[in-house]
Amino acid sequence: ESSRTLKKKIRMCLSPIKKSVFRNAASIFAVSDYTARLVMQECGVKPEHILSVYNGVDAEEFQPAPRASDLVEKHGLAGRKVLLSLNRLVDYKGVDRAIAALGEVALRHPEVIYLICGEGEDRARLESLVRHYRVQDHVVFTGAVPFNRLKDYYNLADAFVLLSREDLDTPNVEGFGLVFLEAGACEVPCVAGDSGGIPNAVVNGKTGWLVDPNSVDAITTALIEALDHSERSKKLGRQARARILDSFT
């Protein structure tokens, strides 16, 4: 708590300087419509001085491919449906809500396995939640993934999961979510938290599912739907890559 308080104090001290920089800039490029609105609301910048320029992804680096056999063997994925998260393990990213949903998902799909990729301060708590919900047979913590294997991990997944929520006290929020583009470029549909700048990265019903990141019921429903209807999920994945090739390179 003390480190959070220190971080918050530093941000508060820097806030007037940041706002002055924004107000006096000739133009501002925001990474999402959400961050553009924040700059308008918090800094009093006129809309005509702000342009949203979304993140892009290298669609040659990230593209669909068969599952890498070494990773299938390493993580015991043969014959399994795979959900994948790839992010820093910090509380607002929503891995805890996905773990809470997993028991119900596993009743419907006992073959499901949830790969949690990344490291961070929240890992110990997440591991305890896995034990609490008794889903040890359905979760693998992979640790950090080297950049040259990112695309291989995305291509293991039937659905990519990132359920970031707004934490206004710290504050933390997903400004955009580049990982959604990386997953989509590999034709993997996304189950995403409807918060922050994520709606610019994931289109509900077209490239994935946008859900209330605080509702375990909504998350459960979306995950089950993603696994129940594999052909529809594949279609959403194809549409995700097509959208990226059109607008996000």
Side-chain angles (χ1 to χ4, degrees), residues 65-97:
R67 286 182 174 181
S69 57
D70 64 320
L71 297 180
V72 171
E73 183 176 353
K74 179 179 180 180
H75 299 305
L77 305 180
R80 309 293 291 268
K81 293 278 185 77
V82 177
L83 302 173
L84 174 83
S85 289
L86 199 157
N87 52 263
R88 287 181 300 115
L89 301 186
V90 291
D91 55 5
Y92 79 97
K93 294 287 187 176
V95 175
D96 50 357
R97 301 290 197 272

Side-chain angles (χ1 to χ4, degrees), residues 152-165:
D152 296 325
Y153 272 88
Y154 286 121
N155 278 302
L156 296 171
D158 293 279
F160 178 76
V161 183
L162 182 60
L163 301 160
S164 300
R165 53 187 180 262

Side-chain angles (χ1 to χ4, degrees), residues 1-238:
E1 185 64 28
S2 60
S3 63
R4 278 195 187 182
T5 303
L6 177 61
K7 185 190 245 186
K8 193 170 184 180
K9 285 179 178 177
I10 292 170
R11 284 179 171 177
M12 288 175 67
C13 290
L14 292 175
S15 181
I17 299 171
K18 290 180 181 179
K19 289 179 179 179
S20 176
V21 169
F22 280 124
R23 281 194 296 267
N24 290 289
S27 295
I28 295 166
F29 298 94
V31 76
S32 65
D33 296 338
Y34 172 83
T35 54
R37 286 194 300 272
L38 277 185
V39 172
M40 283 187 275
Q41 293 165 4
E42 299 296 325
C43 305
V45 177
K46 293 180 180 179
E48 57 266 29
H49 291 164
I50 306 172
L51 182 65
S52 293
V53 180
Y54 308 137
N55 285 330
V57 67
D58 183 349
E60 293 298 315
E61 172 69 26
F62 294 95
Q63 56 180 296
R67 286 182 174 181
S69 57
D70 64 320
L71 297 180
V72 171
E73 183 176 353
K74 179 179 180 180
H75 299 305
L77 305 180
R80 309 293 291 268
K81 293 278 185 77
V82 177
L83 302 173
L84 174 83
S85 289
L86 199 157
N87 52 263
R88 287 181 300 115
L89 301 186
V90 291
D91 55 5
Y92 79 97
K93 294 287 187 176
V95 175
D96 50 357
R97 301 290 197 272
I99 291 170
L102 196 58
E104 195 71 27
V105 176
L107 288 177
R108 181 70 168 256
H109 287 278
E111 77 282 12
V112 73
I113 192 159
Y114 181 26
L115 293 186
I116 300 172
C117 304
E119 288 289 0
E121 63 199 39
D122 205 31
R123 177 162 175 167
R125 183 180 73 94
L126 295 174
E127 289 175 332
S128 71
L129 286 175
V130 169
R131 295 189 293 271
H132 172 77
Y133 290 107
R134 299 181 180 179
V135 289
Q136 297 96 316
D137 293 341
H138 301 280
V139 176
V140 172
F141 288 87
T142 71
V145 174
F147 181 81
N148 68 337
R149 297 309 305 267
L150 285 179
K151 62 182 180 296
D152 296 325
Y153 272 88
Y154 286 121
N155 278 302
L156 296 171
D158 293 279
F160 178 76
V161 183
L162 182 60
L163 301 160
S164 300
R165 53 187 180 262
E166 293 184 35
D167 172 12
L168 298 179
D169 290 330
T170 306
N172 278 314
V173 67
E174 204 72 49
F176 180 85
L178 180 59
V179 287
F180 296 114
L181 299 189
E182 293 173 348
C186 295
E187 295 190 355
V188 178
C190 298
V191 178
D194 189 0
S195 72
I198 293 174
N200 285 138
V202 178
V203 181
N204 190 44
K206 183 176 180 182
T207 68
W209 294 262
L210 284 177
V211 299
D212 179 351
N214 292 302
S215 170
V216 174
D217 287 344
I219 293 164
T220 302
T221 298
L223 293 176
I224 289 175
E225 187 173 330
L227 298 179
D228 272 356
H229 306 288
S230 60
E231 288 307 312
R232 181 167 186 267
S233 292
K234 289 175 183 176
K235 180 182 178 182
L236 294 179
R238 291 192 298 271

